[in-house]
Amino acid sequence: MSTLTKPNHIGRKISRIRELRDMKQEALAQALGISQQTISAIENSETIEEERLIEIAQVLGVNVEALKNFSDEAAINYFNNIHDNEINGGITNQPNHCTFNPLDKLMETVEENKNLYERLLQSEKEKNQYLEKLLKEK
């Protein structure tokens, strides 16, 4: 029976995500500390033990649920939606989620610049004192 008729063929899902990530079997095998032949066997398996699945998902940069629920159709729809939105004005439906507050980062930069300026100013003061000392000695 072909893998096309089995929607829950986990090995094929791993293979497709790996291919979408532009990763070769050798690279995945190296990241997992196993052989390329083992990766090939995994990708031909309909089921995989949960621990191995978690390791593979981490290396591929997806969560286990995304790996289990992956479908080519959903991936194609996702990319088509992004492409269509870019053509129709550059606005995507995917919000930009920052993992930090940009204003906090700006204030950190301002504080860092202030500290650097104070260090530079102190260095210049010390240099002037040293030069004045040398002039007095002459």
Side-chain angles (χ1 to χ4, degrees):
M1 187 179 257
S2 83
T3 58
L4 295 176
T5 60
K6 294 192 179 222
N8 291 326
H9 192 285
I10 195 70
R12 183 67 187 138
K13 292 177 181 185
I14 291 169
S15 174
R16 291 296 293 141
I17 292 173
R18 178 183 56 75
E19 290 167 355
L20 288 171
R21 296 270 184 199
D22 199 25
M23 182 184 281
K24 297 203 178 286
Q25 283 185 341
E26 294 85 11
L28 181 58
Q30 185 177 14
L32 293 169
I34 57 179
S35 69
Q36 180 270 327
Q37 290 81 6
T38 304
I39 294 296
S40 181
I42 288 171
E43 290 182 355
N44 288 320
S45 300
E46 291 183 34
T47 59
I48 298 172
E49 60 188 51
E50 192 69 20
E51 289 178 19
R52 179 66 76 183
L53 198 58
I54 292 169
E55 293 172 356
I56 292 170
Q58 287 175 344
V59 171
L60 291 175
V62 297
N63 63 39
V64 175
E65 288 305 311
L67 203 144
K68 287 180 179 179
N69 297 322
F70 176 81
S71 74
D72 284 329
E73 293 163 4
I76 290 168
N77 288 336
Y78 173 79
F79 289 114
N80 282 342
N81 285 338
I82 289 174
H83 178 70
D84 291 345
N85 286 330
E86 287 176 356
I87 289 174
N88 296 327
I91 300 172
T92 63
N93 291 333
Q94 303 297 323
N96 184 7
H97 295 290
C98 291
T99 57
F100 60 89
N101 184 339
L103 292 176
D104 288 343
K105 290 292 185 185
L106 177 64
M107 293 311 297
E108 287 175 17
T109 304
V110 167
E111 190 64 31
E112 185 178 335
N113 283 344
K114 179 181 169 187
N115 290 338
L116 289 172
Y117 177 76
E118 288 174 357
R119 285 178 32 207
L120 178 64
L121 186 61
Q122 181 62 34
S123 174
E124 289 296 319
K125 285 179 183 178
E126 290 171 2
K127 186 169 70 172
N128 283 341
Q129 288 174 351
Y130 179 73
L131 290 172
E132 286 176 3
K133 181 182 171 186
L134 285 176
L135 285 174
K136 285 181 184 179
E137 289 177 358
K138 288 188 177 186

